[in-house]
Amino acid sequence: MSGLIYLIAAVLFILAIRGLSSPRSARLGNGLGIAGMTLAVVTALALVPPQRLLLIVPALAIGGIIGVISGQKVKMTALPQMIAAFNGLGGLAAAFIAAGEIADGGTRYFGSAAGLLIGALAFSGSMIAFAKLQGLLPGRPFRFALQHPLNVLLGAAAFALLAAFSLWHTEWLFWALAVIALLLGFLLVLPVGGADMPIIISVLNSYSGWAAAGIGFTLGQTLLIITGTIVGASGAILAYVMTKAMNSSLLQIMTGGNTQNPSLAAAVVHQDRTARSGSPEDAAFIMENAEKIIIVPGYGMAAAHAQHALKEMADVLRQKYHTEVRFAIHPVAGRMPGHMNVLLAEANVPYDEIYEMDDINRDFGNVDVAYVIGANDITNPLAKTDPSSPIYGMPVLEVERAKTVFFVKRSLAAGYSGVDNPLFYNDNTIMLYGDAKQVTEAIVKDLEK
């Protein structure tokens, strides 16, 4: 009977992943995932001897309370680092289960060692990702001499220890593998820059899934194998899609990408050029006379919590001035996949007003205004023109083709890549300096007069 229930739970997980593939069905997908997990947990608890429930139920309650409080208090801008932290805890759980299985005299040595290796690596790597996203560590790539040969050496040592423990079952080999895996996770994520962190989060999510699948084989738990495989495969596919969207490769990202000096690139761009600035009143006047406007949100919108002000601005433009307003989303805008979609959904922006890059890029040449709010790298034309740039080859939103481009930023500072955006100095660009929410609210106030 439990096998049938686990199968139903697995089907619900698969349907949940399908639901999460679209903003329209995301709420249903979440509901299906919650239902599947609840069914799986209740069934698993029913199979546990009553005396062990005295330890398990309090642990579940504590973890559940922490999860609920974390979910309610986390800011939308902090979702990426929360996901990184939860990925890490998933990997740590797999490592603990593997260690417990060996300590309890388990004989599935290869499965336990594989779960330990992937889980410990996912944990330490996720902690570095969390620290970078939270600002506890610098977001720039961190490199040192002989870094890559050291990583290769540690990787070879990890696989050697995995094979040795599977053959000889010596306990010190198991703990040596744990240390190597933790160190390897740290060193693999340190050279990754902030702009590539969404991809690394997807990779680490995949690691956590494969670690769970390995533990599933160790414990003989079919549901854990299925769910771990789903998470592992979906994370890997998402990482592939994102690297393709950025015209990059996972190997390039894990090694820190292009080694160009960003400060030098910025200095070159700044020479003999002046960015034209304007006021919210200037922006409102131009928008009043515009027929078509495309809004491009980026991380600056998330940091300023400006999504509700943007929704209000779009509504005023449509209702009072009969302007066509659409939103353009880059695949890696923000700090995680779907970050901008979630924020706009929170502000009740209709799904049919939100367009993916491939669907709207061709239209920028026919719009009067592109309103770019806190987006830098994803609009930078150097990605198309400068082979020495770290973002070269990454598809970008071609906002420069609009008649007028408004950039809402606090300053002319570069984006995550560390490269300045020459678009700031174009003749058709007007910089609107200040907090994104305050600037947008000022524009709305002027539009309503």
Side-chain angles (χ1 to χ4, degrees), residues 12-34 230 234 238 337-338 341-342:
L12 288 173
F13 291 147
I14 294 171
L15 293 175
I17 294 292
R18 180 178 177 84
L20 293 172
S21 64
S22 168
R24 294 181 182 275
S25 57
R27 189 181 297 272
L28 175 61
N30 271 319
L32 292 172
I34 292 170
I230 292 173
S234 60
L238 181 58
N341 301 77
V342 171

Side-chain angles (χ1 to χ4, degrees), residues 75-77 300-309 343 346 435-437:
K75 296 180 180 179
M76 295 297 292
T77 52
M301 181 192 77
H305 306 285
Q307 60 268 30
H308 296 282
L343 291 171
E346 183 191 32
D435 176 84
K437 180 180 179 182

Side-chain angles (χ1 to χ4, degrees), residues 108 211-225:
R108 294 183 173 91
I215 296 302
F217 280 108
T218 300
L219 301 178
Q221 288 286 344
T222 304
L223 182 63
L224 199 54
I225 296 172

